[in-house]
Amino acid sequence: MKNSLFVLFLFVIGLANAQDTYLQCGKIVDVESGKILSEKTIIVSRNKIKEIKNGYVSGNDTDMVVDLKSKTILPGFIDMHVHIESESSPSRYLEAFTLNEADVAFQSTVYAKRTLMAGFTTVRDLGGSGVNIALKKAINKGTIVGPRIFTAGKSLASTGGHADPTNGRSQELMGDPGPKEGVVNSPEDGRKAVRQRYKDGADVIKITATGGVLSVAKSGQNPQFTIEEIKAITDTAKDYGMLTAAHAHGDEGMQRAILGGIKTIEHGTLMSEETMDLMIKHNTFMVPTISAGQEAARLAKIPNYLPPVVAKKALEIGPKLNETFAKAYKKGVSIAVGTDSGVSPHGDNAKEFVYMNKAGMPVIETLRSATITNAMLLGEADLGQIKEGYIADIVAVNENPLNNVETLTDVVFVMKEGVVYKQ
């Protein structure tokens, strides 16, 4: 009897594993060519795209058929700049003293699910408390629902810099954080900080090359690392196969980051044409995060929402992102899509497509940037396209986004690694 039950169990498991999913698609956006493919069926087996057939076909009785004949299908989007642990609120600065790690972890699961439901199946998390590493692991295990995460863990700063976790605290609480806490003041500190991030389980390295908007420090643009410190960080990151990113608003800090070997410049608000030329020469990518600039400027106008020192910087820097991005794109700087969600609400990530398009980037190029380009930067060769053999990260919207970019903000179907999460 026990043997019979065991055989039946194996049979049932075998049936489940053999089940394929047939997505009957009205239109598919080929992000590589820019063409629209009509009346196709995507056959998904386990976590990959097995085959793409002409017309609407279905499999056997054990297979699942999903009717998307009235929808437009795209590869899952990739956001290269989020902060998945938190979100802007009037109490954000107090929460550093009131929330425990468990509180941060529970709220991050809400933000992760929102992000996935918005069609972003992969994100690069560029700094939090370290809970983001545990979140990544929980999603990978299937414990909670969320996008695939590549995380920096805790980002790196200099003493008093944008990501120094003790900024704004009293002398008693300030202490003297070092590389373990993500504070770097020499090339040696930089090497140790990268190795600590690797030990902690981070995937990428992020530095704050200049001052920032939302930290309670006076300058939002001064350079905060030397080239020697940056080079020590990027060289060590390269040893460990880790992509590097630099938060940067000020021009001098950007130039140091580029010359020091950083691969992506986040924000780039006050970027000069000289720096644009430098980015092109060194094949450095700009992640414009227009969403964050728009949201920071909006919040700064709400009385008492942000501390005065932060509100002042937000009004000065936030509105400039749009204009700088437009200039950089027209000049030929390589662009990677990232939102800085956490500053803007999680789940609103697709508004970045709208902002980028309004600034002059054609919709197909924004989509290519958020899929093919971002997958390439992350070193994920089987993400970012709807092709046979690729990971089955697939989303659907109601209209053709090449005709109406706003439709990207209303994703109606989400599949990640062959599993349907929204339909």
Side-chain angles (χ1 to χ4, degrees), residues 299-338:
L299 296 178
K301 296 173 184 176
I302 301 173
N304 303 317
Y305 194 101
L306 298 173
V309 66
V310 174
K312 182 176 183 294
K313 291 184 291 180
L315 288 171
E316 289 172 353
I317 291 176
K320 295 178 181 175
L321 273 172
N322 206 51
E323 181 183 347
T324 304
F325 160 71
K327 289 180 180 177
Y329 166 69
K330 287 174 185 174
K331 194 167 181 66
V333 173
S334 296
I335 305 296
V337 171

Side-chain angles (χ1 to χ4, degrees), residues 93 160 162 166-169 212-218 307 309-310 313:
Y93 296 92
H162 179 53
T166 62
N167 281 341
R169 298 187 181 182
V213 173
L214 295 182
S215 56
V216 284
K218 183 178 179 181
V309 66
V310 174
K313 291 184 291 180

Side-chain angles (χ1 to χ4, degrees), residues 235-301:
D235 285 349
T236 309
K238 185 177 180 181
D239 287 344
Y240 287 88
M242 302 169 89
L243 178 66
T244 56
H247 155 103
H249 290 298
D251 198 51
E252 172 64 25
M254 272 179 254
Q255 291 195 15
R256 293 185 192 181
I258 297 161
L259 294 171
I262 290 288
K263 190 62 177 176
T264 69
I265 299 295
E266 314 299 308
H267 319 305
T269 314
L270 304 175
M271 186 185 297
S272 66
E273 289 205 22
E274 181 186 355
T275 300
M276 293 174 193
D277 290 334
L278 202 60
M279 291 186 74
I280 294 167
K281 178 181 177 182
H282 290 270
N283 193 29
T284 309
F285 286 71
M286 179 188 189
V287 183
T289 66
I290 303 171
S291 298
Q294 297 285 319
E295 184 68 3
R298 185 186 74 83
L299 296 178
K301 296 173 184 176

Side-chain angles (χ1 to χ4, degrees), residues 143-164:
T143 306
I144 60 171
V145 172
R148 184 181 299 103
I149 295 177
F150 295 83
T151 183
K154 169 69 181 69
S155 53
L156 306 184
S158 57
T159 293
H162 179 53
D164 183 334

Side-chain angles (χ1 to χ4, degrees), residues 162-240:
H162 179 53
D164 183 334
T166 62
N167 281 341
R169 298 187 181 182
S170 67
Q171 292 288 339
E172 185 180 0
L173 297 175
M174 194 175 289
D176 185 23
K180 186 175 182 180
E181 294 80 24
V183 178
V184 168
N185 289 293
S186 68
E188 292 74 21
D189 279 357
R191 284 187 280 269
K192 186 172 183 180
V194 170
R195 290 166 181 159
Q196 182 66 51
R197 307 275 95 62
Y198 175 79
K199 180 180 179 180
D200 292 341
D203 312 288
V204 299
I205 296 296
K206 182 219 181 167
I207 70 168
T208 52
T210 75
V213 173
L214 295 182
S215 56
V216 284
K218 183 178 179 181
S219 177
Q221 55 186 283
N222 68 306
Q224 297 186 340
F225 279 88
T226 66
I227 292 178
E228 292 74 23
E229 288 167 341
I230 295 170
K231 196 169 189 314
I233 288 167
T234 58
D235 285 349
T236 309
K238 185 177 180 181
D239 287 344
Y240 287 88

